[in-house]
Amino acid sequence: MGELAALFAPERVAVVGATDREGSVGRAITENLLADFEGTVVPVNPKREEVLGRPCVSSLAEADADLAVVVVPPSVAVEVVREAGENGIDNVVVITAGFGETGSDGAAREEELRAVAEEYGLNLVGPNSLGVLSTRRGMNATFGPDNALAGNMSFMSQSGAFITAVLDWANDQGIGFKDVVSLGNKAVLDEADFVNEWGDDPETDVIIGYLEGIEEGRQFIDTAREVTKDTPVVLVKSGRTDAGAQAASSHTGTLAGSEQAYETGLDQAGVIRADSVQELFDAARVLESQPLPDNDNVAIITNAGGPGVMSTDAVGDSRLGMASFSEETLDAFSKSLPEEGNIYNPVDIVGDADNERFAEALDVALADENVGCALVLSCPTAVLDYEQLARDTVTLQKEHDKPVAACFMGGARVDEAAGVLGEAGIPNYFDPARAIEGLDALVRFKELSTREYDDPTTFDVDREAAREILGRAAERDEPRLGVEAMDLLDAYGIPTPEGGIATDPTEALDLAQPIEGDVVMKIVSPDILHKSDIGGVRVGVPNEEVYDAYEDLITRARNYQPDAEILGVQVQEMVDLDSGVETIVGMNRDPQFGPLMMFGLGGIFVEVLEDTTFRVAPVTETEAAEMTGEIDAAPLLRGARGRDPVDVDTVAETIQRLSQLVTDFPAILELDINPLVAMPDGAQAVDVRLTVDLDELERPAEPTESETDKPLTEPDQ
Ligand code: ADP
Ligand code: MG
């Protein structure tokens, strides 16, 4: 087991602040512990001799405990935690509220708490937590109304109230848990720690969670990636909508971060994301009890035509496919099914089917190696016994060891059968779509658990040059940079067209002359974000017009904004747009996940098209390649309508090089290369725009690993 094993399996639990007082949290926790805990409960309260009939000790020094649950007022909570540390109690659950969630005094107190925990190396849950429970030894150190049933899911939640609601419902449903933790404010232990712990725990088969935010996005991705190779993680992350994000931030003070980053980050972490509590438990239950399918194809066996069609639609919406049966299977169906039945998938065994026909059809389908999983779909009839069908389904599922979902439709008559199915880990649903979603979760997890994660490539770049270029921005005290920072891309080996910046018409001509053919000229000003919007980009300028074009561009900029700061005019080699595709490669820094890389269809209509895909940096070669294939316009890159395919390898390499740049320089807050023109023989970044954090730039940069073991001025290749 992992490092937090003792938190969930202590011998002696001290409750600091234990009391008899009716209605108090201190009493609720003590009672819950006394109810079922196989270990020893030690009430700690200097003002009492005994609590609920148990002798009290006056301080943690006398408790000899290996877990301390802290229920004292906030003003003394930090001191109590220090006492735990001094007395060698490594595991502490702080129930007490009144920390980071309550304003600046609370935040300062939480800072102190964190410092004490760090000083003594404590595993600290909370503060502002409902508590922890572990069913293996009956430990319920929460102040919720119910204990949990034993099971193999472990559950973490950022909302304590949600835990109490879930346990109440799960007890009704017969759903059990291994460990449950209310994360509270996550001052020390957070979601990544528990994912890591439960990943190592052989008794946890599925990890589920309700989160409002993730503290350290990148670290979470790296941890969860490892764990999801064999343990499924299913999470509800609330705050998906702007209004939801607002509500979450006032709830626990979590900085919400962008929904886009969460969606991307959770996917990269190998996590199955559920959009609702129903989805969370539907997925968790099948993942807990059913085997993974060998292939993604489902057989539907039904006595009802209409629901058969509905299920087929649900398959169409999922990752599953409809299985095509082998000759042998079709023969068997022809022999056993009546004329009016359907031997192809969905298999219609007809409304007069009795239990024998149903079971035989399911047996035949599950024996077919083209079938990865099956749905038993049934409507009530006079000749069918639901309980018998449930028993047959359970037996055949075990025999073939393939996942089976059940959709026995009906009302109260289904209850007994659903009980039989449920006990064998086959949830029954009225709605065929939900049953199919369960099978879909298995396929999804199979996909996630077999993903290969490579390390990001480290390119040989001129980091020092990049630092200088960014340093110039700091000197100018200007956070917004445009094409004047084109050499930043050069420093990281991202191809750019020949060109430079002129500050007068003669200089512009000097720059244009050595460039073959016509040139492109653009106004350069931090005050003009979209150059073409104000006529600030002139494409196809012959040398003889360069002088006038210079004057014209400056005039346009002045007309647009008289006080605009104008740095000059860029003169740039023409790029062949006819054979290329304009793409965009960008980055936005998210407060939780850090640099979020974007790739999409580019050009001046990018906001209208919104054809984009994302990854949290650093982006690996595989991920960059996936990105180029994921956008709707991907067929354009592959060469639609007789055009030559573009060089997607160079595009993917550009994504990775930019990923390295923004990882190396946290001062870059956002950056867009738009367009990166992708052509059959390479790609060219013709425009760049970025925003930097000037304060961060002025701080002396810490050398990173790649810098310390390499000379700074290593030449670019
Ligand atoms: P902005 O995005 O500020 O309007 P860009 O530099 O991206 O300015 O230029 C706008 C458009 O002009 C590009 O999307 C592209 O279609 C065209 N363009 C810009 N530079 C070049 C170039 N060097 N060669 C060919 N077309 C270009
Ligand atoms: Mg542009």
Side-chain angles (χ1 to χ4, degrees):
M1 283 237 262
E3 284 162 27
L4 303 180
L7 176 67
F8 293 108
E11 289 300 324
R12 285 169 71 84
V13 180
V15 183
V16 192
T19 167
D20 293 290
R21 191 162 50 81
E22 283 291 345
S24 68
V25 171
R27 178 182 175 123
I29 292 190
T30 315
E31 271 178 346
N32 280 341
L33 276 168
L34 289 173
D36 300 307
F37 185 40
E38 287 169 20
T40 310
V41 183
V42 188
V44 181
N45 189 334
K47 295 188 196 126
R48 289 177 193 259
E49 290 287 305
E50 56 167 52
V51 168
L52 299 166
R54 297 293 160 116
C56 243
V57 298
S58 62
S59 79
L60 275 176
E62 299 155 51
D64 187 28
D66 41 8
L67 168 64
V69 181
V70 180
V71 210
V72 298
S75 54
V76 288
V78 177
E79 268 328 292
V80 169
V81 171
R82 179 181 293 283
E83 218 180 297
E86 277 167 359
N87 289 286
I89 305 172
D90 295 338
N91 301 291
V92 181
V93 178
V94 182
I95 306 290
T96 311
F99 287 82
E101 79 284 7
T102 56
S104 61
D105 285 356
R109 190 176 294 134
E110 191 160 314
E111 222 16 83
E112 271 177 67
L113 187 70
R114 190 176 290 128
V116 171
E118 191 165 313
E119 187 182 337
Y120 294 97
L122 303 180
N123 296 324
L124 185 142
V125 177
N128 189 20
S129 162
L130 179 85
V132 299
L133 67 79
S134 178
T135 56
R136 288 302 179 264
R137 298 185 60 242
M139 181 190 69
N140 179 3
T142 75
F143 62 94
D146 301 298
N147 201 347
L149 297 176
N152 301 317
M153 290 184 205
S154 286
F155 172 34
M156 60 183 164
S157 171
Q158 209 170 337
S159 158
F162 183 61
I163 293 181
T164 64
V166 163
L167 292 187
D168 196 46
W169 169 83
N171 287 347
D172 259 7
Q173 302 281 314
I175 297 175
F177 298 88
K178 158 80 186 343
D179 300 331
V180 178
V181 58
S182 159
L183 296 168
N185 294 4
K186 306 190 283 196
V188 178
L189 294 176
D190 65 18
E191 51 285 333
D193 297 301
F194 290 100
V195 165
N196 191 37
E197 167 65 21
W198 290 328
D200 285 341
D201 174 10
E203 293 184 69
T204 293
D205 292 344
V206 182
I207 299 169
I208 62 173
Y210 165 79
L211 298 178
E212 290 173 2
I214 286 175
E215 300 302 300
E216 300 282 342
R218 185 71 227 183
Q219 189 208 331
F220 182 81
I221 291 176
D222 294 337
T223 305
R225 267 180 182 186
E226 275 306 308
V227 168
T228 52
K229 283 178 184 162
D230 40 46
T231 308
V233 179
V234 191
L235 297 179
V236 170
K237 154 68 182 76
S238 64
R240 271 186 300 120
T241 59
D242 287 349
Q246 197 76 49
S249 99
S250 53
H251 180 194
T252 37
T254 301
L255 233 180
S258 83
E259 166 54 21
Q260 192 56 257
Y262 277 108
E263 193 182 317
T264 308
L266 290 176
D267 182 73
Q268 275 174 277
V271 164
I272 296 178
R273 182 162 180 191
D275 283 342
S276 65
V277 180
Q278 177 178 304
E279 264 183 52
L280 174 71
F281 280 96
D282 282 359
R285 284 165 87 177
V286 277
L287 287 163
E288 183 186 28
S289 53
Q290 298 267 328
L292 294 184
D294 288 337
N295 64 63
D296 304 349
N297 299 320
V298 60
I300 299 173
I301 311 294
T302 183
N303 66 349
V309 180
M310 283 191 252
S311 312
T312 309
D313 275 343
V315 170
D317 290 337
S318 74
R319 292 171 190 81
L320 301 163
M322 293 293 282
S324 320
F325 300 128
S326 69
E327 284 304 321
E328 232 180 317
T329 303
L330 293 172
D331 275 352
F333 282 149
S334 304
K335 287 198 189 102
S336 63
L337 298 184
E339 280 284 286
E340 64 275 31
N342 180 26
I343 62 167
Y344 300 98
N345 208 3
V347 182
D348 186 353
I349 62 169
V350 194
D352 68 353
D354 57 8
N355 284 88
E356 202 179 322
R357 198 193 291 163
F358 226 126
E360 193 188 330
L362 180 60
D363 193 19
V364 167
L366 285 173
D368 190 327
E369 63 179 29
N370 301 319
V371 172
C373 56
L375 172 68
V376 181
L377 172 64
S378 155
C379 286
T381 69
V383 288
L384 195 67
D385 175 352
Y386 262 180
E387 265 188 83
Q388 182 59 41
L389 181 62
R391 282 193 293 273
D392 291 342
T393 303
V394 169
T395 311
L396 289 167
Q397 188 279 320
K398 284 216 178 76
E399 215 173 285
H400 293 278
D401 198 29
K402 289 183 181 180
V404 172
C407 177
F408 292 16
M409 299 174 107
R413 68 167 69 235
V414 182
D415 291 351
E416 294 293 323
V420 173
L421 291 165
E423 242 164 69
I426 304 176
N428 182 62
Y429 301 109
F430 183 93
D431 185 349
R434 265 179 84 187
I436 292 296
E437 270 167 30
L439 297 174
D440 190 48
L442 294 173
V443 169
R444 170 83 173 132
F445 179 62
K446 196 178 132 192
E447 204 176 279
L448 293 170
S449 60
T450 50
R451 252 196 212 162
E452 298 277 344
Y453 296 107
D454 43 349
D455 286 331
T457 311
T458 305
F459 297 92
D460 204 351
V461 297
D462 191 347
R463 190 172 167 140
E464 202 39 50
R467 198 193 309 289
E468 261 173 52
I469 295 157
L470 292 170
R472 266 184 263 142
E475 276 162 29
R476 280 176 44 222
D477 205 22
E478 175 53 69
R480 297 162 304 169
L481 306 183
V483 286
E484 74 278 12
M486 214 74 179
D487 37 0
L488 189 61
L489 304 182
D490 295 328
Y492 269 65
I494 295 169
T496 57
E498 200 182 324
I501 304 213
T503 49
D504 63 53
T506 320
E507 203 184 341
L509 194 56
D510 288 345
L511 284 168
Q513 257 147 2
I515 297 175
E516 203 183 311
D518 296 347
V519 295
V520 178
M521 294 174 70
K522 306 177 192 180
I523 194 75
V524 186
S525 160
D527 297 311
I528 301 172
L529 285 182
H530 298 288
K531 301 177 284 297
S532 38
D533 284 1
I534 64 139
V537 177
R538 295 273 302 270
V539 181
V541 184
N543 281 358
E544 56 274 23
E545 288 173 24
V546 165
Y547 198 100
D548 290 347
Y550 183 98
E551 303 283 13
D552 175 57
L553 285 167
I554 300 288
T555 311
R556 277 170 193 271
R558 289 259 174 268
N559 287 344
Y560 166 71
Q561 191 181 325
D563 62 348
E565 186 194 350
I566 293 171
L567 300 177
V569 168
Q570 185 193 32
V571 178
Q572 196 180 50
E573 179 191 352
M574 285 276 285
V575 167
D576 179 15
L577 289 183
D578 289 338
S579 72
V581 177
E582 292 192 52
T583 67
I584 178 169
V585 182
M587 184 281 300
N588 221 314
R589 200 167 289 274
D590 180 83
Q592 268 75 41
F593 284 89
L596 184 65
M597 301 292 301
M598 182 248 267
F599 173 72
L601 198 60
I604 54 177
F605 297 118
V606 66
E607 287 90 356
V608 186
L609 297 170
E610 272 198 85
D611 182 10
T612 47
T613 181
F614 298 84
R615 287 292 184 286
V616 175
V619 170
T620 67
E621 190 179 344
T622 312
E623 289 172 330
E626 283 166 4
M627 290 175 87
T628 64
E630 272 167 12
I631 58 171
D632 295 338
L636 285 184
L637 303 178
R638 292 195 291 262
R641 303 246 152 190
R643 288 161 56 104
D644 287 333
V646 306
D647 181 356
V648 281
D649 291 347
T650 300
V651 174
E653 187 172 317
T654 303
I655 296 172
Q656 294 170 76
R657 285 179 179 270
L658 189 66
S659 159
Q660 186 173 341
L661 172 68
V662 299
T663 307
D664 284 351
F665 293 97
I668 302 176
L669 298 177
E670 48 182 6
L671 188 155
D672 280 339
I673 298 175
N674 182 24
L676 172 78
V677 181
M679 292 168 290
D681 55 345
Q684 294 279 350
V686 305
D687 186 21
V688 68
R689 180 157 78 86
L690 63 148
T691 311
V692 293
D693 177 345
L694 293 173
D695 296 337
E696 173 92 37
L697 271 182
E698 273 152 21
R699 244 174 272 151
E702 283 172 37
T704 65
E705 245 175 85
S706 65
E707 253 181 346
T708 41
D709 51 35
K710 256 202 248 165
L712 275 183
T713 48
E714 204 170 55
D716 206 349
Q717 35 171 232

